[in-house]
Every structure is written in C-alpha cells, then in structure tokens.
C-alpha cells in the first residue's frame, strides 16, 4: 500500500495570504491542482485496502455563529454505493445531494470509474441540523485525496458549493466560517470566487 504523503500547503495556487484574506477559486480543476493534484497522475482505482481522509468543515449554527465540523470520508471495494452517517444530526436534501454531486465532480475530474467502490461520509458537528450545500467542494477534495491516497493538510480549509462539472459556487456567512476555521487551526481559508471580501454593517453611535 502506498504510504500517504503530507500535502504541502506551499503548492497551492499563487501566493496565499493570511487567514481571512481568502482565495478565489472558480473550478475544482484549479482548486485540486492547487492543493496537490495533477490530472495525469490519476489511474484506474485498483486497491483492496480501506482508505480514509479527514477534513475540518467550517460551518455556521442556526443563529449564524461559526462552528467547525469534522468530515471523515472512507472508500473501500464495494458496489458503487454512497453512505452517510451524520451522528444523529438532521440534514436537509441539499446537504444529502452534495454527497452525490461531490463524487460526480471529483471522478469526472480524475476521469475514473469508481463503480466497484463504496464511499462513506461521516460528519461530526455540534449542531442539531445540517443544511445547505456549502461543504460540497471540501467533500470533492476529500474524495480526490482518497483516490490518490494523500493526507490532507488540516491547516488548509475551505467553503464552497460544487456542481457536477466542478464549478465552485457561492456560500453564505463567509466571515463567520473564516473565524471558525481560524479557531480550528487554519492558516489558509479558501473561499469561492468573489467572496474574499465581506461587508458587515456597523451601527454608528449617535
């Protein structure tokens, strides 16, 4: 079995600035190659071991406060099924659909057929409900890490939806998520294109 290699954050596209500055990404192609991937390095999956990848997911609670969840993705030989364990937390349809879309985008990018493998997601978060598709981009990166047997650098975190073609889409509460990422140990926080600046109204005292 290939020994997992630590992802070097210096390989991220361009010069990433300090946390909360963010990085605008438009496609899974640029995001993935910026992290650690090169399309020519992908080969047809051919492994019998169980692989796991973990990522921290910056999110918000029902009051809009930033919180950090944990994503554990596992892949092993199977029949092409997708399973999700949300640890007793409720989830809405868009969140559940993100699991499928992330798999579609990542395998399309890698040009791989994973119909002989099963994918398992576990999400641990201190919230009663998980809603929205903003973790889709992170899920796709986790799948690519599984296919390449890479170890994800936990100091790099991101937020962003994803579609089947690999487009990274807009999300809400970027500032709250950035603060949660920082508290969770992030030194780089990736955000969708056009969302590296968030305006917050400040009430002026009379």
């Amino acid at each position: 079995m290939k020994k997992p290699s630590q992802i070097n954050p210096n390989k991220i596209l361009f010069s990433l600035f300090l946390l909360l500055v963010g990085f605008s990404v438009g496609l899974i192609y640029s995001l993935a190659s910026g992290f650690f991937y090169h399309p020519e390095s992908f080969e047809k999956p051919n492994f019998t071991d169980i692989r796991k990848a973990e990522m921290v997911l910056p999110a918000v609670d029902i009051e809009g406060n930033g919180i950090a969840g944990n994503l554990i993705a596992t892949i092993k030989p199977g029949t092409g099924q997708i399973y999700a364990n949300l640890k007793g937390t409720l989830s809405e349809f868009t969140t559940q659909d993100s699991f499928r879309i992330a798999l579609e985008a990542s395998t399309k990018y890698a040009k791989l057929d994973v119909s002989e493998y099963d994918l398992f997601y576990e999400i641990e978060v201190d919230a009663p409900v998980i809603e929205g598709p903003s973790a889709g981009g992170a899920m796709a990166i986790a799948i690519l890490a599984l296919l390449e047997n890479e170890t994800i650098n936990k100091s790099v975190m991101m937020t962003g939806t994803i579609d089947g073609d690999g487009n990274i889409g807009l999300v809400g509460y970027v500032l709250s998520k950035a603060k949660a990422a920082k508290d969770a140990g992030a030194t780089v926080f990736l955000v969708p294109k056009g969302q590296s600046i968030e305006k917050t109204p400040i009430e002026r005292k009379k």
Side-chain angles (χ1 to χ4, degrees):
M1 182 176 69
K2 176 184 174 183
K3 183 179 178 181
S5 57
Q6 183 68 31
I7 298 169
N8 184 350
N10 292 327
K11 295 172 69 175
I12 297 175
L13 291 178
F14 307 115
S15 297
L16 289 175
F17 311 110
L18 298 177
L19 179 67
L20 303 185
V21 172
F23 182 73
S24 297
V25 292
L27 295 171
I28 188 65
Y29 311 121
S30 60
L31 176 62
S33 61
F35 260 100
F36 45 83
Y37 298 109
H38 304 282
E40 65 273 11
S41 70
F42 287 99
E43 297 178 356
K44 181 179 179 180
N46 184 23
F47 57 88
T48 58
D49 57 310
I50 299 175
R51 297 180 177 180
K52 288 189 176 184
E54 294 189 35
M55 294 188 75
V56 177
L57 299 178
V60 293
D61 61 19
I62 57 176
E63 297 179 350
N65 300 312
I67 57 176
N70 192 45
L71 168 68
I72 303 173
T74 305
I75 192 170
K76 66 178 183 179
T79 57
Q81 302 300 309
I82 303 176
Y83 301 92
N85 181 2
L86 303 181
K87 303 290 185 178
T89 302
L90 298 177
S91 67
E92 66 169 18
F93 172 75
T94 55
T95 303
Q96 299 174 37
D97 199 39
S98 293
F99 302 145
R100 176 191 61 81
I101 296 174
L103 179 63
E104 178 184 349
S106 57
T107 53
K108 180 182 292 186
Y109 166 70
K111 298 180 180 179
L112 293 177
D113 177 11
V114 292
S115 60
E116 296 180 2
Y117 296 86
D118 288 339
L119 181 65
F120 298 81
Y121 288 107
E122 290 182 56
I123 296 182
E124 301 172 340
V125 63
D126 186 17
V129 179
I130 299 175
E131 58 183 9
S134 62
M139 292 175 186
I141 289 296
I143 296 170
L144 291 174
L146 293 174
L147 297 177
E148 279 289 89
N149 204 20
E150 294 278 1
T151 299
I152 297 174
N153 188 335
K154 292 185 178 180
S155 68
V156 179
M157 302 177 193
M158 70 167 291
T159 184
T161 65
I162 195 169
D163 65 19
D165 292 324
N167 297 294
I168 301 297
L170 303 180
V171 297
Y173 298 98
V174 172
L175 183 58
S176 296
K177 292 175 182 177
K179 291 178 179 178
K182 181 179 179 180
D183 291 342
T187 57
V188 174
F189 184 53
L190 307 181
V191 301
K193 184 177 181 180
Q195 291 197 286
S196 58
I197 297 177
E198 181 174 293
K199 296 181 180 180
T200 303
I202 299 176
E203 185 177 349
R204 304 182 70 177
K205 295 183 179 180
K206 293 182 179 180

